[in-house]
Amino acid sequence: IRGALVERHGKKYGNRYDMCISGYNFMDFGDVKNIQFVVDLTGLQKIRNQINPLSKKNHRFYQTNKVFRKCYQHFLRMISKRSKENFMFLIDQNSRVVFNSHFTKNAVLDHFGIEPACKTDVIYPPTMIDFPNKMFDDRSYEFVSMSRISPEKQIDQIIDILKEVRNKGFEVTYRILGEIKKDHYGQLVS
């Protein structure tokens, strides 16, 4: 609901500015030039289910009940004053869409089955960290995931792949940085 209220505000006041930027997924700013930064597929359940069918086990009632979901989405469209459910109608020659990965870009464009009428880019979110200055021979083989721990991140598959790598004689370490919830998926990866 919060996102719908922010979008309503953006649409109402967006024309006061030369350009508007959405830092979290698609937002309707009206006819003003805009940048849409797409980072999260959480609201697009169909995509999440295609990525990982097991994610259905973690869905809440309002995500799985089709009638309730349609009513909820209609309610959000009413609040936001968005005219259509499909986010891609928002994207025109006034827009520039920035995705946080090629995976997200392809998933969204494939889901809607269109090419947007605007330029698209991929910019990976930065991670601010000081890396130790070590000689290459002194380094260990270590993988790190910094993210939400959720089914669409496929942490369980990474763990399985690294087990196979270890079985082939490579000493690798895998560190997971992020909150592990006490749900089915959290128990699976912990």
Side-chain angles (χ1 to χ4, degrees), residues 128 141 150 163 168 179 181:
M128 304 306 287
Y141 296 105
S150 58
K163 282 180 189 173
K168 293 191 184 238
E179 179 185 357
K181 295 183 180 176

Side-chain angles (χ1 to χ4, degrees), residues 168-180:
K168 293 191 184 238
F170 296 94
E171 296 201 27
V172 296
T173 307
Y174 181 46
R175 297 185 191 274
I176 302 171
L177 306 176
E179 179 185 357
I180 299 178

Side-chain angles (χ1 to χ4, degrees), residues 2-66:
R2 178 179 43 212
L5 291 170
V6 170
E7 183 171 349
R8 181 180 187 157
H9 185 79
K11 188 171 186 176
K12 183 176 181 180
Y13 298 108
N15 61 1
R16 294 181 180 182
Y17 304 96
D18 295 328
M19 177 179 282
C20 293
I21 300 172
S22 169
Y24 189 77
N25 292 342
F26 294 109
M27 189 170 291
D28 187 355
F29 292 113
D31 294 331
V32 69
K33 287 185 179 184
N34 61 83
I35 298 173
Q36 307 278 342
F37 189 53
V38 181
V39 298
D40 186 21
L41 303 176
T42 303
L44 302 171
Q45 292 301 328
K46 198 172 194 179
I47 295 175
R48 288 184 72 196
N49 294 342
Q50 289 171 345
I51 295 167
N52 187 354
L54 294 176
S55 69
K56 289 181 181 179
K57 292 181 180 180
N58 293 322
H59 287 178
R60 294 176 179 89
F61 167 78
Y62 62 85
Q63 294 170 315
T64 56
N65 183 297
K66 289 182 181 183

Side-chain angles (χ1 to χ4, degrees), residues 25-161:
N25 292 342
F26 294 109
M27 189 170 291
D28 187 355
F29 292 113
D31 294 331
V32 69
K33 287 185 179 184
N34 61 83
I35 298 173
Q36 307 278 342
F37 189 53
V38 181
V39 298
D40 186 21
L41 303 176
T42 303
L44 302 171
Q45 292 301 328
K46 198 172 194 179
I47 295 175
R48 288 184 72 196
N49 294 342
Q50 289 171 345
I51 295 167
N52 187 354
L54 294 176
S55 69
K56 289 181 181 179
K57 292 181 180 180
N58 293 322
H59 287 178
R60 294 176 179 89
F61 167 78
Y62 62 85
Q63 294 170 315
T64 56
N65 183 297
K66 289 182 181 183
V67 173
F68 185 83
R69 181 100 180 130
K70 282 189 181 263
C71 291
Y72 179 70
Q73 288 173 332
H74 179 73
F75 173 68
L76 293 179
R77 280 195 306 278
M78 286 176 28
I79 291 173
S80 69
K81 303 211 180 229
R82 181 184 291 170
S83 60
K84 296 181 184 176
E85 183 176 342
N86 185 334
F87 299 112
M88 297 308 283
F89 87 94
L90 301 171
I91 308 307
D92 59 19
Q93 65 276 5
N94 287 324
S95 304
R96 183 173 202 131
V97 182
V98 179
F99 295 92
N100 69 340
S101 70
H102 288 285
F103 176 84
T104 302
K105 176 182 177 179
N106 294 334
V108 170
L109 296 180
D110 289 348
H111 174 74
F112 291 115
I114 61 168
E115 270 299 314
C118 68
K119 183 158 176 51
T120 62
D121 294 295
V122 173
I123 298 176
Y124 289 93
T127 301
M128 304 306 287
I129 187 168
D130 290 327
F131 290 100
N133 190 9
K134 289 186 174 182
M135 297 300 293
F136 193 77
D137 293 341
D138 295 335
R139 295 181 187 179
S140 61
Y141 296 105
E142 193 165 347
F143 296 88
V144 178
S145 291
M146 294 184 289
S147 67
R148 270 183 302 108
I149 310 304
S150 58
E152 63 271 11
K153 303 294 183 179
Q154 300 180 345
I155 303 292
D156 58 322
Q157 291 182 13
I158 296 170
I159 292 169
D160 291 341
I161 290 169

